Amino acid sequence: MIGGADSQRRRRIAIIGVSTFLLVAMVVAVTVSVNLKNDSNGNVKDSGKSHVSSSVKAVKTLCAPTDYKKECEESLTAQAGNTTDARELIKIAFNITIKKIGEGLEKTQLMHEAEKDPRTKEALDTCKQLMNLSIEEFKRSLEKFGTFDLNHLDQILTSLKVWLSGAVTYQETCLDAFENTTTQAGNKMKEILKTAMHMSSNGLSIITELSKTLTDMNITKPSRRLLQDADDEAVLGHDDFELPDWVDDRVGVRKLLKMTQRKLGAQVVVAKDGTGNFTTINDALKSVPMKNLKPYVIYVKQGVYNEYVEVSRNMTHVVMIGDGAKKTRITGNKNFIDGVGTYRTATVAVLGDYFVALGIGFENSAGPQKHQAVALRVQADKSIFYKCRMDGYQDTLYVHTLRQFYRDCIISGTIDFVFGDAVAVLQNCTFVVRKPLENQQCIVTAQGRKERSQPSGLIIQGGSIVSDPKYYPVRFDNKAYLARPWKNFSRAIFMDTYIGDLITPDGYMPWQSLEGLSGMNTCFYAEYNNRGPGSDKSKRVKWQGVKTLNSVAATNFLPTRFFHGDDWIRVTRIPYDSGKDASPVH
């Protein structure tokens, strides 16, 4: 009887929750409850007009939190008909945005066919890829939004915000590709994408406001308990993420890394000496089933692999295991000075969701004189890197979009060597500042959050920021900074981290562009519970964007809250401190 009563209680809560969502979605409480309404003379108005009036009010309410209200209202009013259902209106908004991006894609193709300048042609090629990615983010958001699961409402809304933020970033990256071109194509592209970018921004604002509203009403609190190590089986099927034997039987990745015969836990083995299934990583990736739903383990034996690797969007759940970050290395040297745009300089690019790398080295050996040269670009949702190295100079690690977790990694570089707009946590990692050119200063991070409603940010938790031996003698001449605001709403948090004396007391430097200095007042930079000679905050720059966090505010940036890490990291057995106890990382 107790079980039956508990079941009925949960059922009532579910019904109330669903009803509340339908009524509250985007606070469309202004929807008229009747189809007929008397006019000032007591006559009954036409019900069709009442429907239209109700729809207009619903549209206005839905568009209220957006930055581009006029475009939001006009586009929805034209398509909504008599619809007052907030969920349907949101779906319509997503579909309109997909159409607008598609129209931009067609115009980009026409521009590409007519263009002769090599750098501009490359920028247009980059834009085509990024716009397709942006469309895909809206499509999967649309699909997810159409199949609400009350038990995972918080997770669904979190994913929607992450994916739509990614769509916004992809479009912004498209425009960034034209920064160093000499033609007018960049201005044309900005005009082509204007409406699509505004609609994308509006979609993100709508979902963000919806999430906030439901959170304020305590509807999106997780219904299940936090995972315990002995009970992870309860979520092994979450988001279709099934684990291989080496996780399910509790061997775990830490033991796998120590195994001498790692090929026993792998589907395929890559070895330069021919003792594996393949001699190149790219050939091994061709064996990954498209849209794979089970971890596909690729063991890459020690060696230096001179190849440019892309884990495509369709290659999901790839697990790449090396013999250690110094022994298994993937290296390249594409760079900006030699004519390649930053986005395309990456030695390794990871787009497939649920990617895991263990004991792999990623390198761009172009050197400081070659300027932008990416070693690793990541735009894979729920991707994990454990005991890896990313070595380069300017723009080493491009944490481009979506959710990413780095644990016990070493990242080296000079200028903006961790940059991008992902929802990223780098835990217990070592950041090594290398010697730059004589006239250069060093910056550890350049986070690229464009809009306030984006959930993205760089969280550096634990670990250390130190000097490379060659940089150490000149560290006070070639100053080093924690961050500079690449985009207006740049966000980076440094917590529980050792900061060496290489970091200048100012801590941060403004972004210098053709328009002047920017980002000082709109960024969000904070330091909490750090240690070391460079952690003294008393002489930091007095920007409005440099914040002070107390212990309560700091918990918002711990992994369990910042990107719901318990839902997708813990089950892999990779070392992970969720921060749910708000205790420092050791």
Side-chain angles (χ1 to χ4, degrees), residues 93 141 146 192 258 286 296 298 342 397 428 442 486 546 578:
S141 297
I192 287 171
K258 297 176 182 177
K286 292 174 185 177
Y296 192 88
I298 300 173
T342 304
L397 174 59
N428 281 25
C442 297
W486 180 25
V546 175
S578 69

Side-chain angles (χ1 to χ4, degrees), residues 243-482:
L243 301 178
D245 291 341
W246 53 266
V247 171
D248 195 32
D249 67 5
R250 311 229 179 262
V251 168
V253 296
R254 279 170 284 188
K255 187 172 181 180
L256 185 66
L257 280 171
K258 297 176 182 177
M259 290 170 59
T260 56
Q261 297 293 325
R262 295 182 194 171
K263 63 182 181 181
L264 297 177
Q267 272 79 10
V268 295
V269 177
V270 180
K272 289 182 70 69
D273 60 8
T275 58
N277 306 99
F278 303 98
T279 57
T280 70
I281 297 168
N282 279 309
D283 284 340
L285 285 170
K286 292 174 185 177
S287 69
V288 179
M290 291 297 99
K291 298 183 179 179
N292 177 52
L293 294 179
K294 294 183 178 181
Y296 192 88
V297 182
I298 300 173
Y299 167 38
V300 185
K301 284 189 173 182
Q302 69 178 57
V304 179
Y305 294 82
N306 293 279
E307 54 181 312
Y308 294 96
V309 176
E310 179 171 295
V311 181
S312 72
R313 179 92 170 191
N314 287 327
M315 296 177 185
T316 55
H317 299 283
V318 171
V319 179
M320 196 175 290
I321 303 171
D323 278 325
K326 288 186 176 181
K327 293 180 178 179
T328 299
R329 290 168 48 222
I330 310 169
T331 186
N333 61 3
K334 288 182 180 179
N335 61 84
F336 173 75
I337 292 298
D338 289 345
V340 183
T342 304
Y343 181 82
R344 291 178 176 264
T345 61
T347 301
V348 177
V350 181
L351 288 78
D353 292 345
Y354 295 104
F355 178 84
V356 178
L358 314 170
I360 302 279
F362 305 90
E363 180 186 46
N364 191 310
S365 62
Q369 72 280 2
K370 294 293 187 176
H371 294 194
Q372 295 95 327
V374 177
L376 174 65
R377 185 184 82 235
V378 184
Q379 47 211 114
D381 199 20
K382 298 183 178 180
S383 51
I384 300 174
F385 295 82
Y386 176 51
K387 287 188 178 295
C388 292
R389 286 187 69 104
M390 299 84 182
D391 292 311
Y393 287 87
Q394 183 171 347
D395 294 355
T396 304
L397 174 59
Y398 194 174
V399 287
H400 192 196
T401 56
L402 311 180
R403 286 164 283 196
Q404 305 178 22
F405 179 64
Y406 299 78
R407 172 75 186 213
D408 298 345
C409 293
I410 298 173
I411 306 106
S412 71
T414 54
I415 300 171
D416 306 335
F417 64 93
V418 181
F419 75 111
D421 192 33
V423 187
V425 174
L426 297 94
Q427 196 173 80
N428 281 25
C429 293
T430 302
F431 302 85
V432 181
V433 178
R434 303 176 80 171
K435 184 179 179 180
L437 299 178
E438 286 187 10
N439 63 340
Q440 291 179 333
Q441 295 174 316
C442 297
I443 308 99
V444 179
T445 69
Q447 204 281 330
R449 184 166 165 250
K450 179 196 172 190
E451 301 192 9
R452 195 188 304 273
S453 58
Q454 289 183 282
S456 48
L458 281 173
I459 311 301
I460 292 177
Q461 181 193 17
S464 57
I465 300 172
V466 297
S467 300
D468 180 84
K470 291 183 180 180
Y471 173 66
Y472 188 82
V474 299
R475 67 192 187 285
F476 299 133
D477 300 319
N478 298 85
K479 294 180 180 180
Y481 298 82
L482 292 173

Side-chain angles (χ1 to χ4, degrees), residues 32-49:
V32 179
S33 60
V34 294
N35 294 331
L36 299 177
K37 185 176 180 181
N38 291 342
D39 63 19
S40 58
N41 296 320
N43 299 318
V44 176
K45 288 186 177 180
D46 179 74
S47 61
K49 290 181 180 178

